[in-house]
Amino acid sequence: MNISKVPNVYCDYRSPLSTRYASKEMRYNFSEQNKFSTWRKLWIYLAKAEMELGLPIKPEQIAEMETYVDDIDFEAVAEEEKATRHDVMAHVHIFGKQCPLAAPIIHLGATSCYVGDNTDLLVLRQGFDILLPKLAHVIQRLAKFSQDNRNLPTLGFTHLQPAQLTTVGKRATLWLQDLLMDERAIRRARNDLKFRGVKGTTGTQASFLQLFNGDAEKVKRLDDLVTKMAGFEKHYTVTGQTYSRKVDIECLNVLSSLGATVHKICTDIRLLANMKEIEEPFESTQIGSSAMPYKRNPMRSERCCSVARHLMFLVNNTLHTASTQWMERTLDDSANRRLVLAEAYLSADTILMTLQNITEGLVVYPKVIARHVAQELPFMSAENIIMAMVKTGGDRQVCHEKIRVLSQEAGAQVKQHGLDNDLVDRIKKDPYFAPILLELNALLDPSTFVGRAPEQVVEFLEEEVYPVLKNYKDLESGKVELNI
């Protein structure tokens, strides 16, 4: 195959998460530019704090570093890394060439994990800050959908078999409840994150103690100063060379749990689309199938399920990584984490954006829903009819037997002959039920079979959903912000 005329960008593998699915902001969060600019910021924080605590560092050295914080020569770094076989030292050397005044004090007293781990923690927290407003927007849209459809009766399903009626809005609150649990878990994981701080090669801070001539208070102060400069309130009191890899488990646990929620919601939507009761948005020019022009495939929901399935399994990597960190650390976490952490956040970002699109345009077909209810409701109304007959003086056991026989005949019509459920017509034609014919329609009103579903929707939204949404600004504008 001659690929000489194909642009180079199309001759390299590129993750679909970064080229097709995830948002620009999340892609940037895990980008090389953001990562290595953050490394440089961390070296600046360290130098500033060391200068404040009395080390011989000059303001012009820091000013020089700040000038080049975003100006990274990636080709020069790549060449340097080939020679050194060490990514951090390659960046130290190239940064030093750009900043000759500051070169002697860049990375002073630090180990590679000072920039590596602290940057990861900043990126993980920022990833949560990107996801939480998107999750809130989905919750807000589903809350409106629940409110709007709180009174619309629909078949409930247990074992995927028709069961007692619920409402379309009440079913959506079950989706909402899981999303609220995800919002709480993600926000908690975000707020639980601490900074690794300034800990040295095995976490003992020995190198910094030497820099400050044994002054332990200055070393503690250095840790606090750098932590505050990086925007964290707290740092981990103890670490090995790295922060505990159980932190990664906690982050990916909540993202994997979100994946399970979105998979369940979108599976429900796919099942309901099969029944033609609910459909995701479908543009006028959208093609559902290359061979069957009439099809309206639930492709957004299918995409959510597909990516969510990937997301749910990524946490297994973090479990294995944490369990194999020998003593103060081993390097077999590095390559795995480069893959897993980014993919988890990009995957979560993808499914939330897609679910947001789905929930903004869910289409409900009340007449189809009513038809399905009418097929099953006569069977479910048996007890109501029996009670009505008893009130007119009928014998409960006689009435029960008559309805049992008529129900079996109607069931045979449906299952064996593919006809509509005609139980109500059979009841109307049976002279035994003459005393209740005038109230039969009222006894079969679907709204009387949904229990407190409409009230439950209102109570749930007011007591649990709206208080959570108050933590977010500008939901209606789409530019959602989290109030931390």
Side-chain angles (χ1 to χ4, degrees):
M1 178 181 179
N2 183 8
I3 62 171
S4 60
K5 295 183 179 180
V6 180
N8 288 336
V9 68
Y10 296 112
C11 295
D12 293 327
Y13 170 77
R14 297 182 298 164
S15 168
L17 289 169
S18 61
T19 60
R20 188 178 180 92
Y21 298 132
S23 68
K24 183 178 181 180
E25 57 189 342
M26 189 63 84
R27 297 199 310 269
Y28 177 76
N29 188 46
F30 284 92
S31 70
E32 299 288 275
Q33 179 66 50
N34 186 46
K35 176 180 179 180
F36 297 128
S37 292
T38 304
W39 283 15
R40 293 186 174 192
K41 290 174 186 175
L42 288 166
W43 283 320
I44 293 169
Y45 300 153
L46 180 61
K48 283 183 175 180
E50 289 174 337
M51 181 178 69
E52 183 175 331
L53 293 169
L55 292 188
I57 296 172
K58 300 175 181 179
E60 51 265 35
Q61 291 174 302
I62 292 173
E64 184 182 53
M65 295 165 69
E66 290 176 332
T67 300
Y68 294 99
V69 68
D70 294 319
D71 184 8
I72 301 168
D73 187 339
F74 287 99
E75 291 185 3
V77 170
E79 287 300 314
E80 188 72 21
E81 189 173 347
K82 283 183 182 178
T84 61
R85 306 296 295 175
H86 197 289
D87 57 347
V88 174
M89 290 312 299
H91 278 270
V92 170
H93 292 165
I94 297 303
F95 197 22
K97 289 179 181 178
Q98 288 178 295
C99 307
L101 286 177
I105 56 94
I106 294 174
H107 200 65
L108 185 59
T111 187
S112 298
C113 287
Y114 166 69
V115 289
D117 270 28
N118 283 323
T119 294
D120 285 344
L121 290 162
L122 284 162
V123 167
L124 295 178
R125 188 176 68 171
Q126 179 59 26
F128 283 143
D129 289 346
I130 293 170
L131 294 175
L132 279 166
K134 293 180 180 180
L135 176 53
H137 197 87
V138 171
I139 291 171
Q140 188 250 1
R141 294 304 303 166
L142 272 180
K144 184 178 186 304
F145 180 84
S146 297
Q147 176 72 12
D148 291 346
N149 294 281
R150 66 189 184 279
N151 294 313
L152 180 58
T154 189
L155 286 175
F157 285 86
T158 58
H159 313 276
L160 202 55
Q161 302 299 312
Q164 194 173 65
L165 299 192
T166 182
T167 69
V168 171
K170 171 61 190 300
R171 175 177 286 139
T173 64
L174 303 183
W175 302 339
L176 270 170
Q177 187 172 55
D178 288 352
L179 289 170
L180 284 184
M181 295 174 69
D182 292 318
E183 191 277 342
R184 180 187 64 191
I186 292 173
R187 184 155 39 89
R188 181 184 297 156
R190 187 259 183 218
N191 293 337
D192 282 349
L193 283 174
K194 299 179 184 179
F195 203 54
R196 176 191 176 273
V198 184
K199 296 296 195 297
T201 55
T202 57
T204 65
Q205 299 178 308
S207 58
F208 295 102
L209 198 62
Q210 188 173 11
L211 274 177
F212 288 100
N213 299 315
D215 190 334
E217 286 304 313
K218 282 192 175 181
V219 175
K220 289 177 63 178
R221 180 70 179 143
L222 179 71
D223 214 353
D224 292 337
L225 282 173
V226 174
T227 296
K228 293 293 192 297
M229 289 180 190
F232 278 83
E233 292 299 317
K234 297 179 180 179
H235 54 70
Y236 296 106
T237 306
V238 295
T239 71
Q241 188 174 92
T242 68
Y243 67 77
S244 170
R245 295 312 184 212
K246 283 186 71 69
V247 174
D248 295 343
I249 294 175
E250 291 184 348
C251 291
L252 264 69
N253 259 337
V254 298
L255 298 184
S256 293
S257 182
L258 172 67
T261 296
V262 174
H263 198 292
K264 185 265 191 291
I265 293 171
C266 290
T267 299
D268 282 356
I269 292 173
R270 291 165 67 187
L271 292 170
L272 292 167
N274 171 263
M275 298 162 60
K276 296 180 172 57
E277 292 191 357
I278 289 179
E279 284 183 343
E280 62 181 40
F282 197 91
E283 278 78 24
S284 59
T285 58
Q286 183 174 331
I287 295 174
S289 168
S290 61
M292 295 167 279
Y294 60 88
K295 293 192 74 178
R296 292 182 58 154
N297 298 329
M299 47 81 66
R300 293 173 177 83
S301 298
E302 290 172 323
R303 181 193 306 161
C304 280
C305 289
S306 182
V307 178
R309 199 160 59 241
H310 176 63
L311 173 57
M312 285 188 283
F313 282 96
L314 288 174
V315 71
N316 289 324
N317 279 278
T318 63
L319 293 166
H320 287 291
T321 295
S323 70
T324 56
Q325 285 299 287
W326 307 340
M327 312 304 178
E328 278 63 49
R329 81 90 46 106
T330 66
L331 195 60
D332 70 350
D333 63 338
S334 180
N336 191 287
R337 294 175 72 250
R338 288 175 194 265
L339 296 167
V340 169
L341 298 182
E343 288 210 354
Y345 278 81
L346 290 167
S347 297
D349 186 62
T350 296
I351 61 177
L352 281 178
M353 286 196 305
T354 309
L355 185 58
Q356 180 177 327
N357 177 266
I358 293 170
T359 55
E360 285 175 348
L362 276 178
V363 181
V364 180
Y365 295 104
K367 291 184 178 180
V368 176
I369 293 172
R371 184 175 185 277
H372 290 158
V373 169
Q375 288 289 312
E376 302 292 339
L377 189 61
F379 295 137
M380 300 176 192
S381 66
E383 189 63 24
N384 287 9
I385 293 173
I386 290 172
M387 290 300 98
M389 284 296 298
V390 169
K391 288 178 181 179
T392 65
D395 184 302
R396 186 190 186 285
Q397 303 310 318
V398 173
C399 184
H400 182 280
E401 178 60 19
K402 282 192 169 289
I403 289 183
R404 185 188 69 80
V405 172
L406 294 178
S407 295
Q408 288 185 353
E409 293 173 354
Q413 286 283 91
V414 173
K415 295 179 180 179
Q416 296 177 18
H417 304 293
L419 301 175
D420 288 341
N421 186 337
D422 64 352
L423 176 59
V424 175
D425 289 337
R426 292 175 183 273
I427 290 173
K428 288 179 178 179
K429 293 175 182 178
D430 191 320
Y432 176 80
F433 294 100
I436 63 167
L437 284 183
L438 293 179
E439 56 181 304
L440 198 55
N441 288 338
L443 292 173
L444 292 169
D445 181 356
S447 65
T448 65
F449 288 81
V450 300
R452 293 190 64 250
E455 292 80 9
Q456 286 179 337
V457 170
V458 174
E459 291 165 6
F460 176 69
L461 295 179
E462 291 180 350
E463 295 173 11
E464 301 191 40
V465 177
Y466 297 148
V468 169
L469 293 180
K470 287 181 180 178
N471 292 318
Y472 299 85
K473 297 186 294 184
D474 299 326
L475 274 171
E476 292 297 336
S477 70
K479 298 178 180 179
V480 191
E481 294 182 14
L482 171 64
N483 297 323
I484 299 297

